[in-house]
Amino acid sequence: MIRSRFCRICGIKVTGEEKECPQCHSELPSIVIYDPVKEANLAFIFGLLSILLSFIPFAGIVFSALAISRSNKNSLKTINKKAKTGRTLAFIGLPLSIIGTVYVIMLLTVGNIPLWAETTYTKFIKWLSGIPADFENNFITDSRYTYILKGLGITFEVTIFAALLGIVLGVIVALIRSSYATLKDELNSKFGKWLLKVLNGISGFYLTVIRGTPIVVQLLIAYFVIFISSNNKVLVAILAFGINSGAYVAEIIRSGIVSVDKGQFEAGRSLGFSYVRTMAFIIIPQAFKTVLPALANEFIVLIKETSVSGYIGLQELTKGGDIIRSRTYSAFMPLIAVAIIYLIIVMFFSKLVSILERRLKNSER
Amino acid sequence: MSADNHVIISVKDLKRHYNGEAIKALDGVTTDIKKGEVVVIIGPSGSGKSTFLRSLNLLERPTSGTITFEGQDITSPSTDINLLRQNMGMVFQHFNLFPHLSILRNMTIAPMKLHGLPKEVAEKKAMELLKRVGLEDRANAYPSQLSGGQKQRIAIVRALAMDPEVMLFDEPTSALDPEMVGEVLDVMKNLAKAGMTMVCVTHEMGFAREVGTRVIFMDCGKIIEENTPEQIFSNPQNDRLRSFLQKVL
């Protein structure tokens, strides 16, 4: 049986013994003869070898792979018994040789495996039995759970107000940027044109700077440079995160505005609506619908981002867990607890987002 | 023919250029549109007929030339474009209904917000219009639930709800299935019979012949020939028009 070849010039498929391509008469790749019986024999031999060699770890894996690939090359219907047996043997040899490999690696790294297993087991049991005491030490003693609770409250406070600020900023910036794109040729008053241009420039600068620097740096600058006289860390965090989020929200909303069909805008204008009213009654409601899931995602990101507020000493959720860790010298409990709380919050909001998305999809029909 | 010779729209030497002088979409168009006329604009694609129509309510900004609407130069910067557009209804090729609003709301939003009509009045008026096009049972449906022909009929009555003096049609049947063209043309015919001034860019020659009071043939941004439909279709003067008609008829 000759394996089908492809002309390297025109890509045509050749199944026969031709020397040159029937279409472009260029030279074909050399003929490869495929013998199913030979392949089946090879698969059987490799399968057998993989079993035999499975106690020599890597060689066993290699021969298993060879046996599988040989038996695979033909369609399973025409595979003869030998190939099938080889394949079966390979599938038995493969796990054996993998176990062997793991064994060798453990011998090289751990050394005395029974001893290692025993100590690990006792350590694990000890850790397991220590959990109640550990829990009490980390959360109950000195009412340490209040660090988590208060931290959670501050995380929510910062997130919610920052999100509100972000939406307001984002909508304003998005409107400025998209109206500059459509209105710059239409405005009659020179002052309006100039004002829009300046505002657009400021917005562009804002987006570049905020999206081009890390949030931690922005937070530190906000606290230690800009609001140096303020002691209200919550307020500073809200401002920093809100201004940061606004840049991302602006681009999300702008993409929504751009995605609304141009005809919608023209239809609004042709009825006699002004630019602002067309935006308000026709474009924004449609844009908002498309970007609502993205906005909700931005909110979820914001929740997690607030975890860096510890840099300015704000005791939110993460910092709360970290304080417990520094008091009790046990890291596992408080940090895992903090992680689980974030996970629950984020999963809750993700679920909300997916319900929202489904609702929006339904209402479009 | 028109009852009186009152000129509603007067266009003088209208030009629209893109990329400086490189592309001349409109190259000096001059015409008058009188009250009650049904002006049908035909021509090959790229001849500037859509640009001309869209210039009439300034969706397209002319490079030079003047458009006078009811004696007022609308190309001057001091004109209130929005007020002007309230008097010119426009129907688009792709309907452009507002997908987030119900049919009734599509039709009442402009009269309510711009004419300050109370909700009940606006809705009553909208329902009367819907009855005229036989779609009163779809008042609470959403645009996505309608067929193309229904959408276009709604788009026409949405424009009519503003009581415009002129209706502009930009290839209203080009995006429709062939069997839905008739229902939209019927609405337009009734509108013409009722005495509405209409400017219509279309490829429906039958409509032009039957309803049009004047046919304008455009090519390369210019008006090549302009005459009554009988003259245009049975006795075309210009070679370009003759070859165009041969292809489309």
Side-chain angles (χ1 to χ4, degrees):
Chain A
M1 199 188 280
I2 296 172
R3 192 159 288 163
S4 48
R5 297 163 296 161
F6 292 88
C7 172
R8 294 210 174 108
I9 310 295
C10 53
I12 205 165
K13 190 179 178 184
V14 182
T15 46
E17 279 182 72
E18 295 95 328
K19 279 244 167 66
E20 53 178 34
C21 173
Q23 188 171 316
C24 62
H25 302 290
S26 60
E27 203 180 335
L28 281 171
S30 51
I31 295 169
V32 179
I33 297 192
Y34 171 72
D35 182 357
V37 180
K38 199 174 139 201
E39 294 290 315
N41 281 333
L42 274 177
F44 180 70
I45 291 167
F46 283 133
L48 207 62
L49 277 176
S50 85
I51 289 281
L52 291 176
L53 293 180
S54 59
F55 68 93
I56 309 177
F58 290 116
I61 293 181
V62 171
F63 279 101
S64 307
L66 280 173
I68 291 167
S69 73
R70 284 295 169 184
S71 62
N72 246 346
K73 282 206 170 132
N74 214 335
S75 81
L76 269 172
K77 268 185 191 162
T78 55
I79 264 186
N80 60 31
K81 250 196 174 151
K82 251 186 191 164
K84 253 185 188 164
T85 323
R87 199 180 157 86
T88 321
L89 288 175
F91 275 120
I92 300 168
L94 192 63
L96 284 179
S97 43
I98 288 174
I99 292 170
T101 311
V102 171
Y103 179 72
V104 169
I105 291 171
M106 284 187 75
L107 265 187
L108 292 174
T109 53
V110 181
N112 191 339
I113 292 173
L115 185 68
W116 172 82
E118 202 188 323
T119 45
T120 311
Y121 177 71
T122 29
K123 263 190 207 162
F124 179 69
I125 292 295
K126 206 174 152 192
W127 175 79
L128 219 55
S129 63
I131 280 184
D134 206 22
F135 185 85
E136 195 184 335
N137 183 31
N138 274 309
F139 298 123
I140 312 294
T141 316
D142 295 343
S143 308
R144 284 184 180 135
Y145 66 89
T146 49
Y147 286 114
I148 301 274
L149 279 187
K150 275 186 190 161
L152 188 60
I154 288 178
T155 291
F156 272 130
E157 194 181 339
V158 172
T159 308
I160 288 168
F161 286 106
L164 287 177
L165 179 61
I167 295 255
V168 171
L169 267 177
V171 169
I172 293 172
V173 170
L175 282 178
I176 290 172
R177 279 171 64 79
S178 56
S179 19
Y180 178 72
T182 44
L183 264 186
K184 64 178 176 215
D185 299 324
E186 203 185 312
L187 271 187
N188 288 324
S189 84
K190 272 226 170 90
F191 175 72
K193 247 180 209 173
W194 174 83
L195 186 70
L196 200 57
K197 201 171 175 182
V198 169
L199 286 175
N200 183 56
I202 294 172
S203 305
F205 178 73
Y206 163 70
L207 290 182
T208 313
V209 169
I210 295 296
R211 297 198 303 163
T213 53
I215 174 68
V216 177
V217 177
Q218 291 166 17
L219 187 68
L220 290 175
I221 289 175
Y223 187 63
F224 292 110
V225 181
I226 299 171
F227 300 108
I228 191 154
S229 57
S230 166
N231 256 334
N232 194 339
K233 288 171 182 169
V234 176
L235 193 65
V236 173
I238 287 173
L239 286 174
F241 284 110
I243 290 170
N244 178 272
S245 173
Y248 294 95
V249 171
E251 286 302 88
I252 291 173
I253 293 184
R254 197 173 67 94
S255 75
I257 292 175
V258 171
S259 76
V260 176
D261 181 27
K262 221 180 118 215
Q264 291 291 317
F265 189 78
E266 288 184 346
R269 293 307 300 269
S270 80
L271 284 171
F273 283 121
S274 64
Y275 175 83
V276 174
R277 292 180 129 194
T278 309
M279 274 293 182
F281 299 142
I282 289 147
I283 306 296
I284 301 278
Q286 291 183 53
F288 196 64
K289 220 170 155 183
T290 47
V291 301
L292 208 53
L295 279 182
N297 265 329
E298 170 62 22
F299 181 73
I300 288 173
V301 169
L302 192 58
I303 294 174
K304 291 183 286 180
E305 260 181 359
T306 56
S307 63
V308 299
S309 310
Y311 271 97
I312 60 165
L314 180 64
Q315 292 186 14
E316 39 68 69
L317 184 55
T318 310
K319 187 72 181 172
D322 202 42
I323 289 173
I324 298 178
R325 182 192 59 81
S326 66
R327 294 273 157 85
T328 60
Y329 297 107
S330 93
F332 182 83
M333 272 283 166
L335 295 186
I336 294 291
V338 166
I340 288 174
I341 293 174
Y342 275 117
L343 189 64
I344 290 172
I345 299 171
V346 169
M347 277 166 66
F348 174 73
F349 280 108
S350 303
K351 186 79 198 157
L352 275 189
V353 173
S354 65
I355 292 173
L356 203 70
E357 273 178 42
R358 219 173 308 141
R359 280 270 175 87
L360 288 179
K361 236 183 202 167
N362 285 344
S363 73
E364 255 165 36
R365 300 241 327 107
Chain B
M1 283 291 157
S2 54
D4 52 319
N5 277 346
H6 174 58
V7 173
I8 290 195
I9 302 174
S10 166
V11 182
K12 275 207 183 70
D13 200 25
L14 195 67
K15 286 181 182 167
R16 177 71 171 108
H17 297 165
Y18 296 102
N19 299 345
E21 294 258 303
I23 301 161
K24 296 176 176 173
L26 287 179
D27 198 13
V29 173
T30 305
T31 191
D32 283 345
I33 292 159
K34 301 188 186 86
K35 194 169 175 61
E37 261 194 317
V38 178
V39 178
V40 181
I41 305 170
I42 58 173
S45 59
S47 58
K49 41 190 204 309
S50 271
T51 312
F52 172 65
L53 191 78
R54 290 158 57 82
S55 302
L56 291 182
N57 70 352
L58 296 191
L59 280 181
E60 204 76 50
R61 289 245 149 199
T63 314
S64 68
T66 57
I67 304 169
T68 320
F69 179 69
E70 297 281 21
Q72 191 186 6
D73 179 13
I74 62 175
T75 42
S76 91
S78 59
T79 323
D80 186 345
I81 305 172
N82 302 318
L83 213 58
L84 155 87
R85 283 179 182 144
Q86 291 177 23
N87 287 321
M88 286 191 185
M90 180 142 185
V91 176
F92 298 87
Q93 183 179 0
H94 295 288
F95 332 130
N96 296 344
L97 295 180
F98 307 134
H100 62 301
L101 303 176
S102 71
I103 298 304
L104 200 60
R105 190 88 182 105
N106 256 288
M107 295 175 61
T108 53
I109 183 167
M112 277 168 69
K113 306 277 183 196
L114 296 171
H115 289 169
L117 290 189
K119 197 174 175 206
E120 306 80 54
V121 182
E123 284 185 354
K124 201 177 145 224
K125 203 170 140 194
M127 286 310 289
E128 275 166 20
L129 282 166
L130 281 174
K131 230 170 254 169
R132 257 170 71 180
V133 295
L135 285 172
E136 67 268 34
D137 53 330
R138 307 311 305 269
N140 291 315
Y142 280 80
S144 58
Q145 298 164 328
L146 302 183
S147 71
Q150 291 175 329
K151 276 185 204 170
Q152 194 61 296
R153 283 187 277 162
I154 297 294
I156 293 172
V157 285
R158 176 179 72 180
L160 286 179
M162 288 295 286
D163 289 326
E165 291 180 39
V166 184
M167 285 285 284
L168 311 176
F169 293 86
D170 190 0
E171 303 196 18
T173 54
S174 299
L176 294 177
D177 283 348
E179 56 179 4
M180 291 171 177
V181 170
E183 60 189 66
V184 172
L185 288 183
D186 283 343
V187 171
M188 290 167 67
K189 279 176 201 164
N190 288 336
L191 200 58
K193 266 182 218 151
M196 173 63 76
T197 313
M198 290 161 66
V199 184
C200 184
V201 171
T202 188
H203 296 296
E204 296 293 328
M205 296 303 151
F207 175 81
R209 204 193 301 242
E210 189 182 336
V211 186
T213 53
R214 180 153 57 105
V215 176
I216 293 178
F217 174 70
M218 283 183 77
D219 191 25
C220 302
K222 287 190 175 96
I223 292 182
I224 304 286
E225 198 165 329
E226 151 168 38
N227 216 329
T228 59
E230 297 84 48
Q231 285 296 313
I232 286 272
F233 289 113
S234 56
N235 188 20
Q237 303 294 315
N238 189 284
D239 287 342
R240 186 71 192 84
L241 172 58
R242 234 170 276 153
S243 72
F244 174 77
L245 287 177
Q246 255 163 27
K247 276 175 205 147
V248 296
L249 285 181

